[in-house]
Amino acid sequence: MMGKFEIKTRKNGEFQFDLKAGNGQVILSSEGYTTKANCQNGIESVKKNSKDDSKFERKTATNGKPYFNLKATNGQVIGTSEMYESEASRDNGIESVKKNAPEAEVSDLT
């Protein structure tokens, strides 16, 4: 099964997307966007930038759990992963984004 982007509305009215792997697990989540058009632009940016390993910022949270950000060409964070139990799991998550994002279809749940 292929991955997909899901656009949804937050409680505060902002738009957000999640990238889900073929198994339905969320592998990347966006910030809140004030318009759906900006949210859709964010998805296009993920599709483009996910092909470039240097755009993935590997980080560790204050609780010691690894996670990653995907950054756009301008350095802005366009997506953040969940917290992982290990660096190996985080690196698998990055590979999953690279594999799923470029061809993922978009599902609008708003």
Side-chain angles (χ1 to χ4, degrees):
M1 236 179 83
M2 289 290 295
K4 68 176 177 180
F5 288 97
E6 289 185 348
I7 299 174
K8 56 189 179 187
T9 311
R10 291 179 166 184
K11 287 188 175 75
N12 66 1
E14 290 183 336
F15 296 93
Q16 173 189 335
F17 66 80
D18 291 325
L19 173 61
K20 292 188 172 184
N23 64 6
Q25 184 177 1
V26 174
I27 50 179
L28 193 73
S29 295
S30 74
E31 62 182 7
Y33 293 94
T34 52
T35 68
K36 192 185 290 188
N38 287 346
C39 187
Q40 291 164 327
N41 288 341
I43 290 171
E44 291 308 312
S45 185
V46 169
K47 287 184 173 194
K48 185 177 75 180
N49 289 292
S50 62
K51 298 173 189 167
D52 183 349
D53 187 70
S54 71
K55 298 287 196 297
F56 288 91
E57 183 180 44
R58 293 155 176 87
K59 302 192 61 103
T60 304
T62 52
N63 65 3
K65 292 189 184 268
Y67 72 102
F68 64 87
N69 289 325
L70 176 60
K71 292 189 162 188
T73 310
N74 65 6
Q76 184 178 355
V77 174
I78 45 179
T80 302
S81 73
E82 65 178 357
M83 297 294 161
Y84 291 97
E85 294 301 319
S86 68
E87 289 186 7
S89 297
R90 176 196 58 204
D91 293 344
N92 286 341
I94 290 171
E95 291 307 313
S96 184
V97 171
K98 288 181 188 173
K99 186 179 86 181
N100 285 286
E103 303 299 323
E105 60 185 49
V106 179
S107 178
D108 189 340
L109 304 181
T110 61

